[in-house]
Amino acid sequence: MALLHTLPADDGFRMPAEFDEQQAVVMIWPFRQGSWGADPAKAIEAFRSVAFAINRFAKVLMLAPAAYIQQARNALPDAVRILEIEADDSWARDVAPTFVRDGAGRLRGISWQFNAWGGSVDGLYASWDKDNALAPAFCEAVGVDCYDASPFVMEGGAVHSDGEGTLLVTESCLLSKGRNPSLTKAEIELKLKQYLCAEKVLWLPRGIYNDETNEHVDNMCAFLRPAEVVLAWTDDENDPQFPLSQACFNYLRMQTDARGRRLTVHKLPIPDKPVCVTQEECEAYVFEPGEDTREPGERLAASYVNFLFVNGGLILPVFGNGNEASDRRAVELLTALCPERTVIPVYARDILLGGGNIHCITQQIPKGVPTL
């Protein structure tokens, strides 16, 4: 594996769309007690369910620290490849490589600088060295060359690509003081274009209410196909999500993509009932010094947009606990919007309790060379 200091765009490498063909999906075994509790059994079951769903469509590569290799092996089918790689937590979207591909189908990874979503300003834990080292370690393990994007701070959940030169991001995230405070918006946009080979960046103003990543775009808006997106929505004007979604909708309906096409925006309602942390759930966490904590009644950033495309499938988070009707609505809407895919709902409240959801715990590897 070569650690590269050139720019992917200069080398002819572009970030494919998630809806493009994939060969595998990366996940990281849940073990951090500040995210998954002293007894992570429910989180493990949720991760298993996601891995089983993905395995219907693509290979799963599960990463785990040495102490948890056997636990992962005992819980997962033989088809899941397990790699021993150290991590601080299980957010594969943000710490695993972002993959780019050239016209010949060659794959390379990008290792962004990771600082736990804000570093000393508003980061979610005090030590993140293992997470920051994970992307190059993974590329080394699978024999993929890796671009070193440091010191540019980014996470995979902060960007969506249509594969044709257009990116989706949020201002609330990428312009936050804990990311790249010395860079202007124009300079951040240039970095995105240089590393992901994009021609146009669409800057949504906001994301999901109370999203502790400073409102990653992958919880708010996603490409279904070129020039067509799905946007988290609520019709309830009294919900704190309403002005955030309204601002994004007003922005998107005025935009064109890199090829000059107007965007079609589909509204995907958030759960009807806010998903909040209970007293019992709060008592299960074991937080390290400097780690972000939770309070009983705290609203979590529940969104159906945090789904994963994987070849002919769409792995969708659902929440139950009074949201059965909105869960069904999300399944029906996405089935109608993506008739070429099988929508697989997975109960994901126990992932959301860690701070993210299905898209956050996964990172796709596009079809290409090498085959992993």
Side-chain angles (χ1 to χ4, degrees):
M1 185 273 289
L3 191 61
L4 307 171
H5 295 91
T6 54
L7 295 171
D10 292 345
D11 297 340
F13 283 78
R14 177 191 296 270
M15 182 183 178
E18 186 176 310
F19 52 74
D20 202 352
E21 191 171 359
Q22 303 171 18
Q23 59 169 303
V25 175
V26 182
M27 299 179 66
I28 305 171
W29 192 249
F31 61 90
R32 187 181 182 93
Q33 294 187 347
S35 294
W36 315 112
D39 178 6
K42 290 183 178 180
I44 287 173
E45 182 55 37
F47 274 61
R48 286 182 73 249
S49 297
V50 172
F52 272 78
I54 294 168
N55 197 52
R56 293 176 53 178
F57 306 96
K59 182 184 299 184
V60 177
L61 305 180
M62 183 69 72
L63 316 186
Y68 300 95
I69 287 288
Q70 193 57 52
Q71 185 184 61
R73 181 71 283 162
N74 292 342
L76 296 168
D78 291 341
V80 175
R81 181 181 175 188
I82 299 176
L83 298 174
E84 182 182 323
I85 295 179
E86 295 298 313
D88 292 298
D89 205 347
S90 304
W91 306 109
R93 177 64 48 179
D94 294 340
V95 302
T98 297
F99 287 91
V100 289
R101 183 176 59 198
D102 71 1
R106 293 180 300 169
L107 292 176
R108 291 178 179 173
I110 299 174
S111 174
W112 309 106
Q113 182 78 26
F114 179 76
N115 70 354
W117 309 278
S120 61
V121 176
D122 57 357
L124 300 184
Y125 36 82
S127 175
W128 52 81
D129 291 347
K130 293 175 183 177
D131 277 351
N132 191 40
L134 187 142
F138 177 80
C139 288
E140 178 72 35
V142 299
V144 176
D145 289 342
C146 182
Y147 289 100
D148 180 6
S150 64
F152 184 63
V153 177
M154 250 281 288
E155 307 94 33
V159 63
H160 268 306
S161 169
D162 72 347
E164 296 185 355
T166 309
L167 304 179
L168 291 171
V169 302
T170 64
E171 292 183 339
S172 50
C173 174
L174 289 188
L175 302 185
S176 65
K177 294 179 180 179
R179 296 304 198 288
N180 300 285
S182 66
L183 300 181
T184 65
K185 180 179 179 180
E187 289 169 333
I188 292 171
E189 180 167 315
L190 178 60
K191 290 283 189 183
L192 294 171
K193 290 178 176 179
Q194 290 173 328
Y195 277 98
L196 302 176
C197 196
E199 288 85 52
K200 189 166 187 177
V201 179
L202 299 179
W203 291 85
L204 281 71
R206 297 298 301 268
I208 290 293
Y209 172 75
N210 229 22
D211 184 340
E212 58 197 9
T213 66
N214 302 109
E215 301 172 12
H216 271 176
V217 75
D218 71 345
N219 223 17
M220 184 66 177
C221 187
F223 285 109
L224 299 181
R225 50 191 63 88
E228 191 170 349
V229 302
V230 61
L231 178 70
W233 187 257
T234 178
D235 287 320
D236 182 0
E237 296 185 8
N238 295 315
D239 191 299
Q241 183 59 41
F242 181 83
L244 282 60
S245 292
Q246 186 70 56
C248 291
F249 179 74
N250 291 342
Y251 171 80
L252 287 168
R253 67 180 179 176
M254 302 300 295
Q255 301 305 310
T256 58
D257 66 9
R259 299 194 177 186
R261 297 170 293 205
R262 285 281 183 185
L263 300 178
T264 298
V265 182
H266 302 283
K267 297 175 180 177
L268 181 57
I270 60 174
D272 292 333
K273 178 183 176 182
V275 181
C276 300
V277 186
T278 67
Q279 177 71 41
E280 181 181 8
E281 289 164 343
C282 280
E283 292 172 354
Y285 295 111
V286 181
F287 296 110
E288 296 180 358
E291 188 169 5
D292 192 53
T293 61
R294 300 210 184 283
E295 300 295 332
E298 177 181 335
R299 176 165 164 169
L300 300 174
S303 168
Y304 297 108
V305 175
N306 205 279
F307 59 78
L308 175 73
F309 278 140
V310 54
N311 295 329
L314 189 160
I315 318 301
L316 176 70
V318 294
F319 305 101
N321 299 285
N323 277 308
E324 289 78 8
S326 51
D327 289 346
R328 288 193 297 271
R329 179 181 61 209
V331 171
E332 292 167 0
L333 282 170
L334 287 166
T335 297
L337 291 171
C338 303
E340 73 282 8
R341 297 180 185 273
T342 301
V343 176
I344 301 180
V346 174
Y347 179 71
R349 178 189 172 88
D350 297 308
I351 304 173
L352 184 62
L353 285 169
N357 222 299
I358 289 174
H359 197 259
C360 305
I361 65 167
T362 56
Q363 175 63 278
Q364 72 276 357
I365 304 176
K367 181 180 180 182
V369 179
T371 301
L372 306 181

